[in-house]
């Protein structure tokens, strides 16, 4: 059992100045930040991160968007982290996201959906290790 998940505050949320308020919501929901950095993905790195979606019709758009600006990547710790974080951020498509969720509040569309959250313990580890060395995860 893992108690960690991984998140990205995406370029749309960064551009709108929502990084601080999203981090506050994450904090208020009881997550501890175990690693965090602001960075910008190259197209190549964005493609690598989302390689699992390479065959999807939206892959090109996703890579273009995720490499379009600054992001904040973070590893988060809490009991039941993956599931609880997915509840906090809401459905991938903001029009289906529950009231009060991060995507309902800050996402514009299914592509520009403010935040990423890992979908499994296994992917949380892989994704965290994509951005942070073991020495950078506390
Ligand atoms: P994320 O949680 O980062 O994981 C994969 C991303 O692909 C997802 O959020 C969406 O932003 C994006 N995505 C999923 N479906 C679509 C779609 N139909 N069109 C554009 N982007 C999509």
């Amino acid at each position: 059992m893992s108690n960690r998940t991984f998140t990205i505050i995406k370029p749309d949320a960064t551009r709108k100045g929502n990084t601080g308020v999203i981090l506050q919501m994450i904090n208020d929901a009881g997550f501890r930040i175990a690693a965090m950095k602001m960075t910008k993905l190259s197209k190549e790195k964005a493609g690598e991160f989302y390689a699992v979606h390479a065959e999807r019709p939206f892959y090109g758009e996703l890579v273009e968007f995720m490499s379009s600006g600054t992001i904040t990547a973070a590893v988060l710790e809490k009991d039941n982290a993956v599931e609880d974080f997915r509840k906090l951020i809401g459905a991938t498509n903001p029009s289906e996201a529950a009231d009060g969720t991060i995507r309902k509040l800050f996402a514009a569309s299914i592509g520009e959906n403010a935040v990423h959250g890992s979908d499994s313990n296994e992917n949380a580890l892989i994704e965290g290790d994509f951005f942070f060395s073991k020495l950078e995860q506390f």
Side-chain angles (χ1 to χ4, degrees):
M1 268 299 281
S2 166
N3 57 353
R4 290 190 175 200
T5 191
F6 170 79
T7 188
I8 296 175
I9 300 175
K10 297 189 179 187
D12 59 320
T14 310
R15 277 193 281 270
K16 291 175 187 165
N18 289 329
T19 303
V21 68
I22 290 172
L23 287 172
Q24 185 72 59
M25 286 180 74
I26 291 171
N27 192 59
D28 290 347
F31 292 88
R32 186 183 74 81
I33 295 170
M36 185 164 74
K37 70 169 78 160
M38 264 185 112
T39 185
K40 187 170 185 289
L41 291 169
S42 63
K43 279 188 194 175
E44 189 190 1
K45 278 289 177 193
E48 208 184 305
F49 182 78
Y50 281 113
V52 65
H53 296 304
E55 302 307 318
R56 306 280 192 96
F58 58 81
Y59 180 67
E61 192 185 319
L62 177 60
V63 167
E64 196 66 40
F65 169 62
M66 287 303 292
S67 59
S68 71
T70 312
I71 60 169
T72 297
V75 175
L76 305 173
E77 186 176 80
K78 181 185 185 297
D79 287 348
N80 204 33
V82 167
E83 200 182 317
D84 285 2
F85 192 69
R86 286 173 75 80
K87 277 188 198 143
L88 177 66
I89 65 178
T92 307
N93 188 340
S95 67
E96 293 163 13
D99 283 349
T101 60
I102 291 174
R103 283 171 171 158
K104 183 70 171 190
L105 289 167
F106 303 115
S109 67
I110 194 167
E112 304 204 1
N113 66 352
V115 283
H116 166 79
S118 303
D119 63 5
S120 66
N121 290 336
E122 186 191 4
N123 283 336
L125 264 179
I126 294 168
E127 292 171 1
D129 289 348
F130 184 91
F131 282 89
F132 302 99
S133 75
K134 290 296 181 200
L135 283 173
E136 294 170 322
Q137 299 183 47
F138 299 96

